[in-house]
Every structure is written in structure tokens, then in C-alpha cells.
Amino acid sequence: MRVQDIIDYMRFKRRFDLMGIFSFLKLLICKFQKKELILINAAAGLGDYLWIRNYFKLIKESPQHKNSAIILLATERWLRLSKKIDNGYVDIFMNFHNPNMALFTETFLLRCFKFDTYINFFPEGNLHKEINKYATSNNKITCDIVDQKGYTNEFYQKRNDLIMSQFVDIPQNFKHELPIIDNASETSKDYIVLVPAGFAMGELSDEQLKTITDFVDEKFRYAVLLLGLKNHKPVAKRLKKIVNNPKNLINGCGKFYEYELPSILEGAKLVITPNTATYHMALMLDKNIICFSKENPMSLDFEKNNVEHIISDKEISDIPSQKIVDLINKMLGENN
């Protein structure tokens, strides 16, 4: 570690929260204890993180890495969830306030510490290519070695298994799982989960949301849990005023932490979502799903009977409501 590295850290420490400084101190302790230091880059979205988190257990339980310390570079978007479900396997959570800080955080760590292994699951972007300049000089590096042709879950599993197989044995029956740790149920009634918006596909219109809510209520007598972010609360308020049965609509916008979502999704009869994070969670929980996709529909190659994709190159607000309702009728009629 160079003096200049310490100066750089002190100069930028205001960009780290207090927990980040504690994590840095923990790393110094692990180095002093001569642990095998494994730095894992998981600086991506929640769905991406879910498809790599099960490898942490494999690493910690493998004989060749029994004296290891896993350092996870996490994003604040899913840090609470990770700390809840992976605290037994991850020794240090390095949190940065936004993904743009990933470059500084990682290059600083890579310059200061000689990690035994640096595992980078997401090296496609320019950010991660820049990081690899530091990683290859001082650390054993495990990088993406599969040509990225699409974003299906089958692709992610094969790619990630290939990456990890260089480092730890992957059992033949290895399965990605999502533990349920909190009971966050909002209703005793049967219900579906309806996510109003997704980053890539935009927002469902008020007319679509009303049509879905009224249909599910009248045809199946299910409640509808609107599961959005805090900024979707106005959507829920508008919807309450126009649906036929306002009591049947549950406003879950901004109410739940990420670690409570598996419990919410597990109890649902159906999950309708343009949001990739809730889609990945629901897929791992083997729920009935209607999702909205653009060019490369996620997991379409799985050919699961309980997953339906509405593929469109337009905004989801342009999709006819009747098309969505027909799929709801098919999913709830056949799979329940």
C-alpha cells in the first residue's frame, strides 16, 4: 500500500458512507489475519446480483477456500437484501452510493491490497475494462469468457457457471434459490402482484391498470397489490379513484424493503411486471409470471408453462389492455 493511496482515499472518503469506512477497516483486519481475500464485483442491478449470490455459499463451504474472506462490491439498491440473506457468507460489504463510484472504489482497493482472487461477473462495459488494468497486474483474475449474445437467464447461468468453475466445483444439481426471510403479507385474501413500471419498458397506463384490476376482481375475486416505488404512490391514488372496487386495490408502493419482496411475491397467485428485478425474484420462486420484454425476452428459452412474455418494441402503455387480460385469464385459469 502506498502513501498516495491513503491520501487518495482520504480525499474521496466523503463519497463513502460510514459503513464504507468500517468495511475498509475490516479489510485491513482480514489482511492482517492472512485470510484468502476474494473480491467479487457485483456492481449491477438486483436481478444480476440474484443470479450470482448462490455462489458465495459454494466458495465458503469448499475445502480449498475455508480460510477465505469474501469482499462484495455492492450497490445501495440491493444492499439491504444482500445483508439479510448473504450475511453468513459475505465477510465485508463494500457499499458505494451510486454505480458511477464503482471505478474509484475498485481501483483503490485493487491498488491498495493484493487480493488472491478478483471475480468480475460484469466486465462488458468500459468501466470494468478499465478496472481490469489494475486487476491483472496484482491479482488472479476471473473474467467473462463467453461472447454475450443475449440476456436470457439461461445465458446468465451458463456464463456464470463457466466463470465460477475455474474457481470452485459446481455441483451437478446446483440450483439458484431465493430464501424467504420475512413475512410481509399485506392481506389475508388471495392476490396478484401488479408492478406499474419498469426501467426499459416505461409505465403501464392508468387505463391498463384499471382494466387489469377490475378484471381480476370481477373474474377471480383476487385483490391486486400494486408494487411500485415511492414515486409511484400518485399512480396508486389515481387508480383508487377510478377502479370499480377501491377496497380490492392494495397500495404497496414504497412500503417494502428489497428483502421483504420475496415474501410478497411468494404469496401471489400471479406476478405481472415490466420490472426485471421482480421478474427475476418471481422466476426463482417459480411463480406464475406475465412479463413485458423487448428484443431479447428474458428466459424465453426456458419454455416454462408458468411464464408468459408480451414482446413489444414499443412502450408498454401502447400494448392493448385486452391482450394483457387474455393472458391473465389463461394464466390464472390454467395454473391454479
Side-chain angles (χ1 to χ4, degrees):
M1 183 184 297
R2 303 177 306 172
V3 174
Q4 186 60 45
D5 293 328
I6 301 296
I7 294 173
D8 288 344
Y9 180 75
M10 298 303 293
R11 183 183 301 160
F12 288 98
K13 71 175 182 178
R14 284 172 291 181
R15 301 193 186 186
F16 288 79
D17 59 7
L18 190 58
M19 290 304 296
I21 297 174
F22 288 153
S23 297
F24 182 77
L25 295 175
K26 286 182 184 178
L27 188 52
L28 286 174
I29 294 172
C30 288
K31 188 72 173 177
F32 178 76
Q33 294 173 334
K34 296 184 178 180
K35 287 184 175 288
E36 177 191 7
L37 299 181
I38 303 171
L39 179 65
I40 298 179
N41 174 12
L46 175 57
D48 298 310
Y49 156 73
L50 292 175
W51 289 105
I52 68 171
R53 58 162 298 276
N54 284 274
Y55 297 117
F56 305 158
K57 181 180 179 181
L58 290 182
I59 294 172
K60 297 295 279 190
E61 293 182 351
S62 64
Q64 64 266 43
H65 303 296
K66 61 182 179 180
N67 189 40
S68 64
I70 292 179
I71 300 93
L72 181 67
L73 288 167
T75 62
E76 199 165 13
R77 287 172 293 178
W78 46 260
L79 185 63
R80 288 192 188 95
L81 173 66
S82 184
K83 284 187 173 181
K84 281 277 187 177
I85 64 178
D86 293 321
N87 198 43
Y89 305 109
V90 175
D91 298 87
I92 301 171
F93 295 89
M94 297 297 292
N95 175 30
F96 43 85
H97 288 293
N98 64 71
N100 294 327
M101 280 302 296
L103 178 60
F104 171 75
T105 306
E106 291 186 341
T107 52
F108 172 76
L109 289 172
L110 291 166
R111 285 163 56 191
C112 289
F113 296 94
K114 184 172 175 57
F115 291 91
D116 296 282
T117 302
Y118 169 56
I119 302 176
N120 182 7
F121 284 98
F122 311 104
E124 295 90 5
N126 292 329
L127 177 74
H128 301 301
K129 289 177 183 177
E130 185 70 21
I131 292 167
N132 289 345
K133 293 179 183 178
Y134 293 93
T136 51
S137 60
N138 292 320
N139 308 275
K140 187 193 306 176
I141 182 167
T142 306
C143 261
D144 187 273
I145 53 174
V146 178
D147 188 21
Q148 185 155 339
K149 300 293 185 183
Y151 292 89
T152 66
N153 285 318
E154 185 178 26
F155 167 83
Y156 275 127
Q157 285 191 26
K158 288 180 178 178
R159 184 197 72 165
N160 293 345
D161 283 353
L162 191 56
I163 291 172
M164 289 305 300
S165 65
Q166 303 173 68
F167 184 64
V168 69
D169 292 333
I170 308 292
Q172 285 188 345
N173 60 347
F174 178 68
K175 183 181 179 182
H176 292 275
E177 297 176 338
L178 181 63
I180 299 171
I181 56 175
D182 283 274
N183 184 4
S185 178
E186 281 284 291
T187 177
S188 58
K189 290 185 64 176
D190 288 334
Y191 65 93
I192 73 162
V193 165
L194 177 58
V195 181
F199 176 75
M201 295 293 292
E203 297 186 358
L204 287 161
S205 68
D206 288 1
E207 185 274 330
Q208 289 169 319
L209 294 170
K210 169 180 164 53
T211 301
I212 293 169
T213 303
D214 289 344
F215 176 76
V216 169
D217 176 32
E218 294 167 8
K219 179 70 181 285
F220 299 100
R221 300 301 179 192
Y222 292 163
V224 174
L225 173 59
L226 196 69
L227 193 62
L229 303 175
K230 287 182 180 179
N231 59 307
H232 296 128
K233 286 183 178 180
V235 177
K237 288 181 179 179
R238 292 198 307 269
L239 199 55
K240 281 275 189 183
K241 295 178 181 179
I242 61 175
V243 295
N244 295 339
N245 184 7
K247 292 182 179 180
N248 206 48
L249 178 67
I250 304 166
N251 180 7
C253 296
K255 284 188 176 182
F256 305 106
Y257 291 119
E258 292 86 350
Y259 59 81
E260 295 176 305
L261 296 183
S263 173
I264 294 293
L265 298 174
E266 174 64 17
K269 293 289 186 179
L270 173 67
V271 178
I272 304 173
T273 179
N275 178 280
T276 55
T278 49
Y279 167 80
H280 289 301
M281 283 188 173
L283 190 69
M284 287 185 174
L285 295 169
D286 202 29
K287 303 306 297 180
N288 297 328
I289 309 168
I290 296 175
C291 68
F292 304 88
S293 307
K294 287 197 174 180
E295 292 180 0
N296 272 321
M298 297 168 298
S299 189
L300 191 61
D301 42 1
F302 277 15
E303 296 182 352
K304 284 195 165 190
N305 292 330
N306 62 329
V307 180
E308 291 285 351
H309 297 268
I310 298 178
I311 305 170
S312 174
D313 57 358
K314 301 178 181 179
E315 297 291 323
I316 52 175
S317 57
D318 296 326
I319 297 170
S321 299
Q322 189 59 47
K323 185 174 183 177
I324 304 173
V325 164
D326 289 343
L327 274 182
I328 294 172
N329 193 42
K330 175 186 175 183
M331 295 291 288
L332 293 179
E334 292 182 357
N335 295 316
N336 284 284

